[in-house]
Amino acid sequence: MDDVKQIVTDIKKGNIKPIYFLMGEEPYYIDAISEYIENNILAEEEKGFNQMVLYGRDVSVDDIIGNAKRYPMMAERQVVIVKEAQDLSRTIEKLSNYAENPQPTTVLVINYKYKKIDKRKALYKTIKKSGVVFESKKLYENQVSDWIRRVLSGQKYTISPKASQMLVEFLGTDLSKINNELEKLKIVLPEGTQISPEHIEENIGISKDYNNFELRKAIGERDTVKAFKIINYFADNPKDNPMVVTVSLLFNFFSQLLHFHGLHDKNPRNVASALKINPYFVNEYVSAARHFPMRKVSHVVATLREFDVKGKGVNSNAVPQGDLLKELLVRIFS
């Protein structure tokens, strides 16, 4: 995120590079930088003749170079944006010849999503000298809640830890999807609002009471009545609550709980750091550790591995996922 801000700041100051190679597993920031360049380098009246968008599936590297070598018409520079450039992965290294001596009046933007170029080869090294190579790395799940908080903070909103966790559990680590939902919330909520679980439920449709976050909490507290209520809701709404996601999240929780048992220093700050969780959730692990000693946690982890396989259709004899989840709860609480 800091690298993105620096690129935008440099462009605003007029420090514009001839090549921007945007690559990596997370498409959100690649799109954000590319769209900023597309919208801000040229004035509207200059774009007709001096800005073009190409697609990797439709062009060759030679076509890109040919367009990049053109001179701008009645403008200081031209902008050439290549989207889906990963479709040219077999020949992208040929761009290194152009990168050695890029056209100074061209801003060439390469969107190379879900992949990376080899940093040992010529293309990476030459672009690093003359332009910008930006790698957009996928965030780990435990980093996404902090990303949500920082994005909203910059837009004069806050969000409760539970609401943030609901978004992550429902949408995963896809920043584009999460950002789209945040944009919807900003339309209906005034600046200064703290986004709550109720806001998430009312505007996005994620239940604040029947979700994996609440299931995890109920299991940790050995609240069997609440846990089975949630599982029954999941059984009635299987499309919105796939078993594979539930088992995966529970597996992560009990794996972290096993780590918690092994910690010598159980100070909340140390626990949050060691488990890579928000300090807000530390008490859940303290409570769960009282109800699930280390030996029991090891047993639950093994059980979750077993049900992960069953949930994917192996040795389950077409048992409905709702029934498998109920059986899983019985095994966890036994």
Side-chain angles (χ1 to χ4, degrees):
M1 197 166 180
D2 291 338
D3 290 343
V4 178
K5 288 181 180 178
Q6 188 60 55
I7 290 170
V8 170
T9 298
D10 287 344
I11 292 173
K12 286 180 178 178
K13 291 179 178 179
N15 181 16
I16 301 171
K17 301 295 184 181
I19 304 177
Y20 291 86
F21 198 99
L22 314 174
M23 65 180 187
E25 292 296 322
E26 177 50 66
Y28 176 80
Y29 285 120
I30 293 174
D31 288 337
I33 296 171
S34 183
E35 287 173 12
Y36 182 82
I37 292 173
E38 186 173 352
N39 294 330
N40 292 279
I41 294 286
L42 299 179
E44 284 301 320
E45 62 272 15
E46 296 175 327
K47 291 179 181 178
F49 292 110
N50 297 292
Q51 184 158 288
M52 66 184 67
V53 177
L54 308 173
Y55 289 86
R57 64 178 178 273
D58 300 324
V59 298
S60 67
V61 173
D62 289 336
D63 293 331
I64 295 170
I65 293 172
N67 281 290
K69 286 185 174 180
R70 288 174 53 243
Y71 287 97
M73 294 180 63
M74 296 178 290
E76 183 180 348
R77 54 174 60 90
Q78 68 160 346
V79 176
V80 178
I81 299 172
V82 185
K83 297 187 177 182
E84 310 301 335
Q86 67 273 12
D87 290 339
L88 295 166
S89 59
R90 293 183 179 180
T91 56
I92 196 69
E93 276 295 320
K94 291 171 63 177
L95 192 60
S96 60
N97 291 330
Y98 173 79
E100 288 178 0
N101 187 27
Q103 182 76 358
T105 54
T106 293
V107 179
L108 176 60
V109 184
I110 307 292
N111 294 335
Y112 198 80
K113 294 180 179 178
Y114 314 113
K115 294 184 178 182
K116 297 183 290 183
I117 53 173
D118 192 332
K119 296 179 181 180
R120 298 167 298 179
K121 292 187 176 181
L123 180 58
Y124 177 83
K125 293 176 180 177
T126 51
I127 294 179
K128 283 288 285 184
K129 290 178 182 177
S130 59
V132 170
V133 179
F134 170 77
E135 182 178 348
S136 187
K137 297 180 180 179
K138 199 82 172 174
L139 294 186
Y140 294 111
E141 188 173 302
N142 59 29
Q143 297 174 309
V144 178
S145 288
D146 187 54
W147 178 86
I148 293 171
R149 181 188 59 76
R150 287 189 291 154
V151 167
L152 288 173
S153 176
Q155 299 164 350
K156 300 180 181 179
Y157 290 84
T158 57
I159 187 168
S160 74
K162 180 178 175 180
S164 179
Q165 190 72 16
M166 287 169 64
L167 285 174
V168 175
E169 291 191 353
F170 190 74
L171 300 171
T173 60
D174 188 323
L175 301 188
S176 296
K177 284 184 180 179
I178 294 172
N179 188 66
N180 288 341
E181 298 303 331
L182 295 178
E183 289 297 323
K184 292 177 188 177
L185 289 170
K186 288 190 292 181
I187 291 172
V188 297
L189 301 175
E191 286 186 359
T193 299
Q194 180 178 62
I195 297 171
S196 67
E198 289 75 18
H199 293 137
I200 300 292
E201 183 173 50
E202 291 166 9
N203 297 286
I204 299 178
I206 308 170
S207 172
K208 66 181 176 62
D209 297 316
Y210 297 96
N211 56 62
N212 286 307
F213 170 81
E214 290 297 327
L215 175 63
R216 185 185 76 183
K217 185 176 180 182
I219 291 173
E221 295 173 348
R222 275 195 172 269
D223 186 339
T224 56
V225 173
K226 183 177 180 181
F228 275 100
K229 278 185 178 179
I230 295 171
I231 287 299
N232 286 330
Y233 178 87
F234 286 4
D236 293 337
N237 300 273
K239 289 185 178 179
D240 292 333
N241 304 279
M243 179 177 173
V244 64
V245 174
T246 298
V247 173
S248 175
L249 291 169
L250 289 177
F251 181 84
N252 289 340
F253 175 66
F254 277 96
S255 297
Q256 288 176 313
L257 192 55
L258 199 61
H259 188 183
F260 175 87
H261 275 298
L263 293 175
H264 295 296
D265 181 1
K266 290 186 171 61
N267 177 281
R269 182 177 296 180
N270 183 61
V271 171
S273 175
L275 301 187
K276 296 187 169 89
I277 60 173
N278 189 307
Y280 175 85
F281 299 112
V282 168
N283 284 338
E284 285 189 25
Y285 290 83
V286 174
S287 174
R290 288 197 296 266
H291 293 113
F292 292 89
M294 184 177 283
R295 181 175 294 180
K296 178 61 178 175
V297 173
S298 298
H299 171 72
V300 172
V301 168
T303 301
L304 286 164
R305 289 185 190 276
E306 176 189 337
F307 276 79
D308 178 55
V309 174
K310 285 185 176 181
K312 293 169 182 173
V314 180
N315 298 324
S316 59
N317 298 319
V319 178
Q321 292 199 348
D323 291 343
L324 285 175
L325 284 173
K326 292 172 188 176
E327 182 186 348
L328 172 62
L329 272 192
V330 171
R331 296 271 295 274
I332 289 174
F333 286 133
S334 63

